């Protein structure tokens, strides 16, 4: 492949933080180079994250929702086959998308090292090449956090469960999970349905510690129903082998000790922005600033260097694929505007979802944020016991909390524990992004008999 020596924009990374913006610029006539070491688009989300994990979840729910007696190895095999099939389809889709945007877009499999705001050195199977650029977009993603504790080499990560062509062949019979965030809780929900004995060890005093307390309570409720053992307030201290098992050792702040014996131990303490091994220090020497280990950006995705943008997980903001896509497009639109920040990101309109079943979802301001800001608000709590679809699927325990500005009735926030909480959160993301009010939602005729109707019912007092 002939690599151009000079382009308008280089994208470092090929995930959701890069390719949507690269496509926008290529369609607008810019010359664009995108570099990713995986050799295809989709980033970690497609390789080992959102897509494969939700494919596995879907197949497990397919089997376990119809019977309590399942062969865990058989179900896992079917789940892995589904996720591999979906990954292959999507990789092929991306190959076609690349072709559709040629010749303005060049996609290169390789490792990019930034040498300055206008220069990137790329190592490929054919050798090295330097490319000059007017604009640089860093969408390098994130990496799993591995605690520096004795025995850390014994752990699994989510990659071992979901990565393309390298997932484990069968589920463990027992699993200790370090971390009670969204990854740990989702994996616990999935595998417990296959009869795996799961234990979560979390150092904070609640599950989902980065979400509002009501969501933590919902997660704990689900874990208890699933038979998952949860130990809060214990920090992982080490892992060792004991015969055929691994033993996770943990310690509380007051000195209590805990040992959990399991076939496997999963490290799920979170992900951090990837800022190493691709030359970021060369930009720091020229004024690039980091903020708490992430690249500092404006709402228009500009860094502290005028022609350098950063998007996606590397910014440490909303570390979610759908947020990365929007950030990528915002960066592209502002590049086309000559660097003016005509487009800006509203992070309060990004939904956060946890794919247990029932699901957990949050979007918008929390009550704590509004109280701190001195913004008057009111809360509408709507329980789904009387909702038709919730009755049909057998999950009447769900609820929605809708937060409204006191006088204007503008939608400020939404939280839910429901069989389709993720779908419902999209409605409220739209409402928050567009400053819609309770009256706007009350006048929408939600399709019957779906839980979208419940939004209408909850908002009707505000006609």
């Amino acid at each position: 492949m002939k690599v151009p020596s000079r382009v308008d924009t280089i994208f470092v990374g090929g995930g959701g933080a890069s390719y949507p913006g690269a496509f926008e610029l290529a369609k607008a006539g810019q010359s664009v180079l995108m570099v990713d070491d995986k050799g295809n688009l989709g980033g970690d989300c497609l390789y080992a994250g959102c897509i494969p994990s939700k494919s596995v979840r879907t197949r497990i729910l397919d089997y376990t929702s119809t019977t309590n007696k399942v062969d865990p190895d058989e179900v896992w095999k079917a789940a892995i086959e589904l996720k591999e099939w979906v990954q292959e389809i999507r990789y092929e889709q991306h190959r076609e998308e690349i072709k559709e945007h040629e010749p303005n877009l060049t996609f290169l499999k390789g490792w990019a090292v930034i040498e300055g705001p206008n220069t990137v050195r790329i190592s490929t199977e054919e050798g090295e090449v330097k490319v000059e650029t007017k604009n640089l977009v860093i969408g390098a993603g994130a990496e799993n956090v591995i605690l520096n504790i004795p025995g850390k080499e014994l752990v699994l990560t989510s990659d071992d469960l979901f990565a393309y062509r390298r997932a484990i062949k069968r589920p463990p019979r027992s699993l200790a999970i370090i971390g009670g965030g969204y990854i740990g809780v989702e994996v616990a929900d999935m595998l417990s349905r296959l009869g795996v004995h799961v234990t979560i060890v979390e150092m904070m005093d609640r599950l989902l510690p980065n979400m509002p307390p009501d969501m933590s309570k919902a997660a704990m409720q689900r874990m208890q129903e699933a038979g998952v053992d949860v130990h809060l307030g214990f920090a992982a201290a080490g892992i060792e082998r004991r015969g055929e098992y691994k033993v996770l050792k943990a310690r509380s702040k007051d000195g209590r000790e805990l040992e959990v014996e399991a076939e496997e131990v999963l490290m799920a303490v979170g992900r951090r922005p990837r800022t190493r091994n691709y030359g970021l220090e060369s930009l720091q020497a020229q004024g690039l600033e980091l903020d708490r280990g992430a690249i500092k950006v404006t709402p228009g995705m500009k860094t502290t260097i005028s022609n350098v943008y950063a998007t996606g997980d590397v910014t440490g903001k909303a570390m979610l694929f759908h947020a990365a896509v929007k950030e990528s497009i915002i960066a592209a639109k502002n590049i086309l505007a000559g660097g003016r920040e005509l487009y800006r990101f509203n992070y309060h309109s990004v939904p956060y979802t946890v794919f247990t079943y029932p699901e957990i979802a949050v979007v918008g301001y929390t009550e704590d944020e509004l109280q701190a800001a001195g913004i008057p608000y009111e809360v509408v709590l709507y329980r789904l016991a009387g909702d038709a679809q919730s009755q049909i699927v057998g999950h009447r325990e769900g609820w929605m909390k809708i937060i409204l500005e006191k006088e204007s009735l503008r939608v400020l926030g939404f939280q839910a524990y429901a069989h389709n909480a993720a779908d419902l959160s999209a409605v409220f993301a739209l409402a928050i992004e567009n400053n819609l009010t309770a009256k706007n939602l009350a006048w929408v005729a939600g399709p019957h008999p779906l839980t979208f109707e419940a939004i209408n019912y909850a908002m009707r007092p505000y006609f």
Side-chain angles (χ1 to χ4, degrees):
M1 175 186 293
K2 184 178 180 181
V3 181
S5 60
R6 184 180 296 273
V7 295
D8 291 317
T9 304
I10 292 178
F11 284 81
V12 176
S18 294
Y19 71 81
F23 292 166
E24 287 291 317
L25 294 179
K27 285 188 292 187
Q30 277 207 5
S31 57
V32 180
L33 175 65
M34 185 165 33
V35 186
D36 191 277
D37 65 318
K38 291 184 176 67
N40 206 328
L41 307 183
D44 288 337
C45 174
L46 178 52
Y47 177 72
C50 333
I51 296 294
S53 64
K54 303 315 171 283
S55 299
V56 169
R57 170 189 185 259
T58 296
R59 184 58 82 233
I60 288 174
L61 286 175
D62 286 344
Y63 276 80
T64 59
S65 62
T66 56
T67 178
N68 292 324
K69 296 181 180 180
V70 296
D71 180 333
D73 294 351
E74 177 187 331
V75 177
W76 184 258
K77 183 175 180 289
I80 297 304
E81 287 175 353
L82 173 63
K83 75 105 182 158
E84 293 282 331
W85 180 72
V86 173
Q87 286 171 302
E88 287 166 7
I89 288 175
R90 297 194 68 79
Y91 278 133
E92 181 56 35
Q93 285 177 215
H94 287 319
R95 282 189 283 270
E96 292 301 315
E97 287 177 313
I98 291 169
K99 292 177 183 177
E100 290 169 6
H101 292 88
E102 294 173 343
N104 290 347
L105 172 66
T106 301
F107 177 76
L108 194 59
K109 180 182 180 180
W111 189 263
V113 175
I114 300 165
E115 295 194 339
N118 302 101
T119 309
V120 175
R121 173 169 46 89
I122 304 162
S123 299
T124 71
E125 294 174 353
E126 289 77 33
E128 284 193 353
V129 60
K130 283 189 180 183
V131 182
E132 299 294 316
T133 184
K134 296 177 184 176
N135 303 291
L136 177 61
V137 182
I138 304 170
E143 59 192 3
N144 290 319
V145 175
I146 304 296
L147 297 178
N148 188 23
I149 58 176
K152 64 182 179 181
E153 70 280 358
L154 299 176
V155 303
L156 301 179
T157 70
S158 56
D159 286 6
D160 296 295
L161 299 179
F162 307 122
Y164 183 55
R165 294 182 175 175
R166 53 167 285 203
I168 57 176
K169 302 303 181 185
R170 68 165 182 83
R173 299 300 179 245
S174 55
L175 180 68
I177 300 177
I178 304 173
Y182 75 94
I183 295 174
V185 169
E186 286 184 357
V187 170
D189 186 75
M190 285 185 231
L191 294 188
S192 64
R193 295 175 186 276
L194 299 182
V196 177
H197 180 217
V198 181
T199 303
I200 294 177
V201 177
E202 165 59 47
M203 69 178 294
M204 304 299 283
D205 61 359
R206 59 188 178 97
L207 296 174
L208 305 180
N210 294 324
M211 283 190 158
D214 284 343
M215 314 324 295
S216 299
K217 292 176 184 176
M220 180 61 83
Q221 175 184 334
R222 174 64 206 128
M223 293 299 97
Q224 290 171 342
E225 291 169 352
V228 174
D229 294 330
V230 178
H231 299 279
L232 301 175
F234 282 88
I239 304 152
E240 63 180 41
R241 288 191 182 278
R242 187 177 294 170
E244 297 180 356
Y245 295 92
K246 298 172 183 177
V247 178
L248 168 62
K249 297 184 175 183
R251 188 175 299 112
S252 68
K253 289 181 180 179
D254 60 7
R256 289 175 295 142
E257 294 189 350
L258 171 72
E259 285 192 0
V260 179
E261 187 176 86
E263 183 178 343
E264 295 290 354
V265 177
L266 177 72
M267 184 76 74
V269 296
R271 292 172 64 78
R272 64 181 166 219
R274 186 177 286 119
T275 58
R276 300 174 293 180
N277 301 322
Y278 60 93
L280 207 60
E281 60 274 5
S282 68
L283 295 181
Q284 289 179 268
Q286 299 188 49
L288 183 82
E289 294 182 14
L290 301 187
D291 181 17
R292 288 175 292 182
I295 299 178
K296 184 177 180 179
V297 292
T298 66
M301 312 320 301
K302 295 189 78 170
T303 71
T304 47
I305 298 178
S306 61
N307 71 313
V308 179
Y309 297 75
T311 52
D313 290 359
V314 78
T315 69
K317 293 184 178 292
M319 296 175 68
L320 302 161
F321 180 84
H322 45 286
V325 168
K326 185 173 179 179
E327 289 169 333
S328 177
I329 293 172
I330 286 174
K333 293 289 189 183
N334 287 335
I335 287 171
L336 292 174
R340 292 175 294 161
E341 295 194 50
L342 301 185
Y343 297 84
R344 299 166 68 86
F345 203 116
N346 174 12
Y347 286 98
H348 280 103
S349 67
V350 178
Y352 290 75
T353 54
V354 182
F355 285 93
T356 51
Y357 189 74
E359 299 165 355
I360 292 167
V362 176
V363 61
Y365 291 88
T366 66
E367 291 187 70
D368 286 345
E369 287 177 312
L370 294 173
Q371 289 168 9
I375 298 174
Y377 67 92
E378 58 184 283
V379 174
V380 178
L381 179 62
Y382 190 86
R383 301 197 178 277
L384 297 173
D387 171 66
Q389 191 182 21
S390 297
Q391 294 166 351
I392 291 168
V393 301
H395 280 286
R396 300 178 62 206
E397 71 270 41
W399 50 265
M400 300 187 302
K401 177 192 282 188
I402 303 166
I403 304 174
L404 305 173
E405 192 172 37
K406 193 72 172 180
E407 293 187 5
S408 70
L409 299 182
R410 184 164 58 104
V411 177
L412 296 179
F414 170 78
Q415 299 167 22
Y417 179 56
H419 67 94
N420 65 338
D423 289 341
L424 295 172
S425 72
V427 175
F428 289 89
L430 176 69
I432 292 168
E433 180 70 20
N434 292 280
N435 292 313
L436 300 185
T437 68
K439 291 182 179 180
N440 296 135
L441 296 181
W443 279 107
V444 175
H448 180 75
L450 303 184
T451 304
F452 294 107
E453 290 183 292
I455 300 172
N456 312 139
Y457 287 123
M459 296 292 93
R460 279 181 189 169
Y462 300 96
F463 266 142

